[in-house]
Amino acid sequence: MKKIAIFASGSGSNAENIANYFRGSDQVSISAVLTNKPDAYVLERAKKLGVPSLVFNRKDFVYSSTVIDFLKSLNVDAIILAGFLWKVPIELINAFPDKILNIHPALLPSYGGKGMYGMNVHNAVIENKEKESGITIHLVNEEYDKGAILLQARTAITESDSSEDLAKKIHALEYAYFPVAIEAWLSGVK
Ligand code: GAR
């Protein structure tokens, strides 16, 4: 059984989708949901799902071993960033080398880097009149949005699509591809 922790900063619809996908699995279990936002809706979802959660602040995350200690105490094998918006500190990357997976709501390397998250990404894609966008599932290394890419999936953008329409299309791709990609990736994680 592989144990995963999910990090999310907001709504957590991906976190819930992942938890539902693995419910009853004998391969993967969700040990905890972690968030940097005390009022993030993902906490409500975790409660409903019966998954323990931890709220941490920047000091816990960057300047102490609180988060790493918590994950180690649960014997977590891998970390899934599902709408998590802070840069991951090197200490956490070193504690879980090649064991942190992120989803980005665009086709990296386009629309990646600092400030490029959530609706900011979709607004920029629509403003630039792109004909397509998509999702990127990638490993996390010390360079923001630049770790090895495991999977990309695309969706067409029509002229009438708003940023909100694009966000819906991207979420649909995320729900379809992320849990399956996590499952395949985890089977190779030692
Ligand atoms: C998702 O679209 C995810 O790709 C994006 O935040 C959204 C979270 O939605 N992540 C990033 O922008 C990371 N740079 P959710 O809270 O409903 O799962």
Side-chain angles (χ1 to χ4, degrees):
M1 177 75 86
K2 296 276 166 50
K3 295 181 178 176
I4 60 174
I6 302 177
F7 283 53
S9 297
S11 163
S13 70
N14 274 285
E16 180 167 354
N17 182 53
I18 294 164
N20 284 333
Y21 181 85
F22 289 116
R23 175 169 303 127
S25 165
D26 56 4
Q27 302 295 313
V28 178
S29 74
I30 318 294
S31 294
V33 164
L34 290 87
T35 185
N36 58 305
K37 280 262 182 80
D39 59 349
Y41 188 63
V42 73
L43 289 168
E44 296 296 320
R45 296 187 197 262
K47 204 192 268 172
K48 273 194 220 133
L49 291 160
V51 177
S53 57
L54 179 77
V55 179
F56 57 84
N57 60 29
R58 195 170 284 279
K59 183 175 148 280
D60 298 333
F61 193 49
V62 182
Y63 304 108
S64 87
S65 61
T66 307
V67 171
I68 294 174
D69 293 345
F70 176 74
L71 295 169
K72 294 282 180 193
S73 76
L74 295 173
N75 287 318
V76 162
D77 296 295
I79 296 170
I80 307 300
L81 308 184
F84 181 64
L85 304 185
W86 280 359
K87 191 171 186 294
V88 177
I90 190 70
E91 291 78 8
L92 184 55
I93 292 171
N94 289 340
F96 291 88
D98 289 333
K99 289 178 178 168
I100 309 178
L101 203 60
N102 181 45
I103 192 160
H104 186 80
L107 295 168
L108 291 175
S110 300
Y111 301 99
K114 210 168 161 42
M116 277 294 154
Y117 57 83
M119 287 309 294
N120 293 355
V121 175
H122 306 315
N123 290 334
V125 168
I126 294 294
E127 263 164 38
N128 288 342
K129 302 196 184 313
E130 300 285 359
K131 296 274 182 285
E132 65 169 12
S133 187
I135 59 169
T136 304
I137 296 171
H138 66 96
L139 290 174
V140 173
N141 65 12
E142 62 282 0
E143 281 189 279
Y144 203 67
D145 286 342
K146 289 196 177 155
I149 293 176
L150 261 59
L151 182 149
Q152 291 191 308
R154 293 161 190 273
T155 185
I157 301 172
T158 64
E159 274 177 29
S160 62
D161 275 342
S162 64
S163 307
E164 288 72 24
D165 295 329
L166 177 56
K168 281 192 196 129
K169 289 182 175 182
I170 294 295
H171 265 120
L173 284 182
E174 294 181 332
Y175 302 153
Y177 285 94
F178 203 16
V180 184
I182 292 167
E183 189 171 40
W185 171 68
L186 280 175
S187 66
V189 165
K190 292 274 178 298

